[in-house]
């Protein structure tokens, strides 16, 4: 049976029956019906039905009810965050927030090389970057592939636009916000390697660095059993106005061998959380 937000029809009934006019329903009952509609359908189709439906989809009530009924951690975190530091009415779109669900989601694109080098800005050293299968499974990786470096420093970087990813200024400026950084790097058994990670929290002007994390661990030696190591860091109590994250890592081998024997990097992540007592 078709659904309609008004009494007007197109004059052509569906094969499964005429459209059902839902306009007389009170908003509370209509909300309960819309809760069963997938989020992207809500935004792409339901929102265009009429003003009443658009206001419901654009407002907080529908999405807060949806998150309250969803048991996964990211939805619960989002529900808590919007209660403690609600987004401003404008320019935040609750519908956009409901689609993107940015809390606890990896904001880096193509973290394991499953899409080639898409979304990364590359700087080649030696014989440049390559993509290979992991020599050992990396915990939590969505695919078991990695970026592989060469005998000269190979660097790649990505800029995360936090507002474009669905986060809102009130949350980012709240002291309870946390930014979690993680990266995995390792070596092939027969060749040692070096690795670096540089992360900057950057203001809206894209120039002012408000916080940073830099690390260059001790090199992995040759004959290491295909060692794989996680590097992580949590930014807390950072200054207000963080709007971008500049993420860069680099690697090379220690033997200066032709080919791709350097650091193997994968499963990179940038995640934002909102911590409440």
């Amino acid at each position: 049976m078709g659904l309609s937000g008004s009494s007007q029809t197109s004059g052509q009934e569906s094969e499964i029956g005429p459209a059902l006019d839902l306009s007389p329903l009170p908003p509370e009952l209509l909300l309960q019906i819309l809760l069963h509609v997938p989020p992207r359908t809500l935004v792409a189709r339901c929102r265009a039905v009429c003003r009443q439906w658009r206001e419901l989809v654009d407002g907080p009530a529908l999405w807060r009810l949806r998150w309250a009924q969803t048991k996964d951690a990211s939805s619960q975190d989002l529900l808590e965050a919007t209660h403690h530091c609600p987004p401003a009415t404008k320019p935040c779109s609750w519908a956009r927030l409901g689609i993107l669900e940015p809390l606890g989601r990896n904001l880096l694109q193509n973290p394991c090389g499953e899409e080639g080098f898409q979304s990364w800005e590359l700087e080649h050293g030696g014989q440049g970057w390559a993509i290979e299968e992991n020599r050992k499974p990396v915990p939590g990786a969505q695919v078991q592939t990695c970026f592989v470096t060469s005998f000269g420093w190979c660097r790649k970087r990505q800029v995360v636009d936090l507002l474009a990813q669905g986060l809102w200024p009130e949350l980012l400026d709240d002291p309870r916000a946390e930014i979690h950084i993680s990266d995995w790097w390792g070596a092939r058994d027969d060749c040692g390697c070096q690795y670096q990670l540089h992360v900057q929290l950057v203001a809206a002007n894209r120039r002012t660095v408000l916080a940073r994390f830099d690390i260059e661990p001790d090199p992995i030696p040759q004959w290491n059993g295909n060692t794989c190591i996680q590097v992580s860091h949590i930014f807390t109590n950072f200054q207000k106005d963080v709007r971008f994250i500049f993420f860069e890592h680099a690697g090379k081998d220690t033997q200066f061998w032709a080919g791709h024997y350097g650091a193997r990097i994968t499963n990179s992540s940038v995640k934002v959380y909102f911590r409440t007592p």
Side-chain angles (χ1 to χ4, degrees), residues 85-195:
C85 55
T89 303
K90 293 181 180 180
C92 173
S93 164
W94 284 86
R96 182 169 173 271
L97 185 59
I99 289 291
L100 294 176
E101 292 196 338
L103 289 183
R105 173 171 62 83
N106 190 1
L107 304 180
L108 287 177
Q109 306 297 311
N110 187 27
C112 302
E114 65 270 33
E115 300 174 359
F117 295 107
Q118 183 174 325
S119 302
W120 293 98
E121 178 188 343
L122 304 179
E123 184 178 323
H124 296 286
Q127 290 185 274
W129 287 93
I131 296 173
E132 298 180 3
E133 295 289 325
N134 291 336
R135 300 209 162 202
K136 279 186 176 179
V138 173
Q142 57 193 48
V143 295
Q144 293 297 328
T145 53
C146 61
F147 299 96
V148 187
T149 61
S150 188
F151 57 84
W153 281 108
C154 298
R155 301 182 181 277
K156 64 184 179 71
R157 59 190 63 89
Q158 193 170 143
V159 178
V160 178
D161 183 336
L162 295 169
L163 299 187
Q165 290 294 331
L167 293 153
W168 59 101
E170 292 79 8
L171 179 138
L172 293 170
D173 293 343
D174 192 289
R176 291 166 290 189
E178 297 180 354
I179 298 175
H180 293 220
I181 307 297
S182 176
D183 208 14
W184 287 82
W185 72 287
R188 49 184 292 160
D189 181 62
D190 57 355
C191 187
C193 68
Q194 294 176 258
Y195 163 86

Side-chain angles (χ1 to χ4, degrees):
M1 180 174 293
L3 301 180
S4 173
S6 68
S7 59
Q8 294 181 349
T9 64
S10 62
Q12 182 178 4
E13 295 180 354
S14 166
E15 293 181 1
I16 58 175
L20 177 64
D21 182 9
L22 299 181
S23 57
L25 290 178
E28 295 80 6
L29 185 54
L30 182 56
L31 271 177
Q32 294 301 318
I33 294 174
L34 294 179
L35 281 174
H36 297 280
V37 180
R40 293 191 179 276
T41 303
L42 278 173
V43 176
R45 302 185 64 182
C46 296
R47 188 178 180 276
V49 169
C50 63
R51 175 182 291 182
Q52 181 191 25
W53 286 38
R54 183 174 68 249
E55 290 176 350
L56 287 175
V57 173
D58 286 350
L62 173 62
W63 298 103
R64 282 177 168 159
L65 280 173
R66 177 179 291 275
W67 297 328
Q69 295 179 7
T70 304
K71 300 304 180 183
D72 65 272
S74 60
S75 294
Q76 295 302 306
D77 288 349
L78 195 52
L79 178 62
E80 286 293 315
T82 57
H83 277 303
H84 284 87
C85 55
T89 303
K90 293 181 180 180
C92 173
S93 164
W94 284 86
R96 182 169 173 271
L97 185 59
I99 289 291
L100 294 176
E101 292 196 338
L103 289 183
R105 173 171 62 83
N106 190 1
L107 304 180
L108 287 177
Q109 306 297 311
N110 187 27
C112 302
E114 65 270 33
E115 300 174 359
F117 295 107
Q118 183 174 325
S119 302
W120 293 98
E121 178 188 343
L122 304 179
E123 184 178 323
H124 296 286
Q127 290 185 274
W129 287 93
I131 296 173
E132 298 180 3
E133 295 289 325
N134 291 336
R135 300 209 162 202
K136 279 186 176 179
V138 173
Q142 57 193 48
V143 295
Q144 293 297 328
T145 53
C146 61
F147 299 96
V148 187
T149 61
S150 188
F151 57 84
W153 281 108
C154 298
R155 301 182 181 277
K156 64 184 179 71
R157 59 190 63 89
Q158 193 170 143
V159 178
V160 178
D161 183 336
L162 295 169
L163 299 187
Q165 290 294 331
L167 293 153
W168 59 101
E170 292 79 8
L171 179 138
L172 293 170
D173 293 343
D174 192 289
R176 291 166 290 189
E178 297 180 354
I179 298 175
H180 293 220
I181 307 297
S182 176
D183 208 14
W184 287 82
W185 72 287
R188 49 184 292 160
D189 181 62
D190 57 355
C191 187
C193 68
Q194 294 176 258
Y195 163 86
Q196 300 174 350
L197 174 64
H198 308 285
V199 183
Q200 298 177 348
L201 306 189
V202 181
N205 61 15
R206 298 181 71 104
R207 296 187 304 276
T208 304
V209 177
L210 301 175
R212 65 184 304 144
F213 173 70
D214 301 284
I215 188 170
E216 184 171 353
D218 292 338
I220 296 175
Q222 190 179 25
W223 311 120
N224 54 76
N226 295 316
T227 295
C228 190
I229 302 170
Q230 183 183 26
V231 174
S232 61
H233 179 72
I234 300 177
F235 290 98
T236 60
N237 297 314
F238 44 85
Q239 297 181 54
K240 293 184 178 181
D241 199 38
V242 171
R243 299 295 180 263
F244 297 92
I245 299 176
F246 289 11
F247 184 100
E248 177 184 283
H249 49 202
K252 65 185 290 291
D253 76 25
T254 56
Q255 306 299 118
F256 208 74
W257 287 350
H260 298 92
Y261 291 83
R264 308 167 69 82
I265 305 174
T266 191
N267 203 24
S268 312
S269 69
V270 171
K271 298 181 180 180
V272 177
Y273 294 92
F274 186 82
R275 298 305 188 195
T276 56

